[in-house]
Amino acid sequence: MSLPISRFHELVATLESFAAPAITEPLAFGEAMDKLDNKAYTFTATLAVLPFLQPIPLGFFALIGSAAFIALGLQLYRGEQVLTLPVKIRSVTLSQRTRQTLINTCQKIIGFFRRYAKVRLSYLVQGKLGQQIGGFIFMAVGVLVAIPLGGVVPFKNLFPSLAILFYCTGEVEKDGLMAIFALICLVLTVIFYGLLIYIVWKFGAAAISHFFWN
């Protein structure tokens, strides 16, 4: 049996409020995070992963997002209750149109995950062990998205983004299997990155450009 839907609806409401028109546009991440009352790791991570769902490589922003995930991961791993984000990630802004597009994508992904989520292996997403697993996932994603692979690789951050969303869905639904899926996504990321590095080493940058774009 699944958890009461109120927590899921709270997550959806948070996403929708982030997508809604703000008094000051474009909206800064810091302003959106402040509405979470500095306590919701799951909600904050869900918001922070949104820009990584797009196919275009994020360049310097990937480093800012990396710092955010590592900071979240360290705090979650330690079981800290007060949530803080780096100043640079708080100052990043997204237009209302961009936010709405990313929110729609995120809701579809989480909604799909939730169709198969149920209470099982809850110890993997609850309590101290759950915090440590979540912290490790966040920190690993932070490291992976910071790895430079050039500007020719679309969906470079797809698997790391899915890892975050899997864990967040699992935490909301008390479904530890989702945490396992998140860890699998991390493994797939390492394999994917390793394949890209091998292609570049073996065939050169022209080959990777041809492989992905032609």
Side-chain angles (χ1 to χ4, degrees):
M1 182 178 68
S2 183
L3 274 180
I5 61 175
S6 57
R7 186 124 191 270
F8 175 76
H9 282 177
E10 185 181 355
L11 176 57
V12 171
T14 299
L15 292 172
E16 290 177 345
S17 67
F18 182 69
I23 297 177
T24 303
E25 288 285 1
L27 178 64
F29 258 97
E31 296 178 24
M33 301 306 175
D34 289 341
K35 297 178 181 179
L36 300 180
D37 197 24
N38 290 331
K39 63 182 180 181
Y41 287 94
T42 299
F43 293 6
T44 300
T46 302
L47 291 180
V49 81
L50 292 178
F52 293 91
L53 292 174
Q54 60 184 348
I56 302 174
L58 297 177
F60 180 71
F61 180 79
L63 297 179
I64 300 176
S66 169
F69 287 126
I70 292 175
L72 285 172
L74 283 172
Q75 292 172 80
L76 182 57
Y77 190 89
R78 295 170 179 170
E80 297 178 7
Q81 299 300 313
V82 178
L83 175 64
T84 57
L85 283 175
V87 174
K88 288 186 177 181
I89 192 68
R90 287 181 56 85
S91 63
V92 170
T93 58
L94 293 173
S95 68
Q96 193 272 331
R97 181 178 179 180
T98 300
R99 296 198 310 272
Q100 185 63 65
T101 300
L102 295 176
I103 292 297
N104 290 342
T105 301
C106 186
Q107 288 181 338
K108 289 179 181 179
I109 294 174
I110 292 179
F112 177 79
F113 289 171
R114 188 172 182 266
R115 289 170 56 188
Y116 303 98
K118 60 182 179 180
V119 179
R120 55 192 165 185
L121 304 176
S122 299
Y123 62 91
L124 295 178
V125 289
Q126 299 291 307
K128 184 176 181 179
L129 178 61
Q131 289 181 328
Q132 291 177 339
I133 291 175
F136 170 78
I137 291 172
F138 289 176
M139 287 186 286
V141 168
V143 172
L144 290 170
V145 299
I147 297 176
L149 292 177
V152 297
V153 184
F155 294 107
K156 164 184 175 292
N157 298 311
L158 175 61
F159 287 127
S161 299
L162 292 178
I164 293 291
L165 294 179
F166 267 126
Y167 176 80
C168 290
T169 304
E171 197 277 333
V172 169
E173 296 291 322
K174 289 189 177 180
D175 187 352
L177 186 61
M178 292 292 173
I180 295 176
F181 288 155
L183 294 172
I184 292 174
C185 284
L186 295 180
V187 174
L188 291 175
T189 301
V190 173
I191 294 174
F192 180 57
Y193 286 10
L195 177 62
L196 291 176
I197 293 172
Y198 174 77
I199 291 174
V200 172
W201 174 77
K202 190 74 174 179
F203 303 105
I208 192 172
S209 179
H210 176 81
F211 180 79
F212 281 101
W213 295 111
N214 295 323

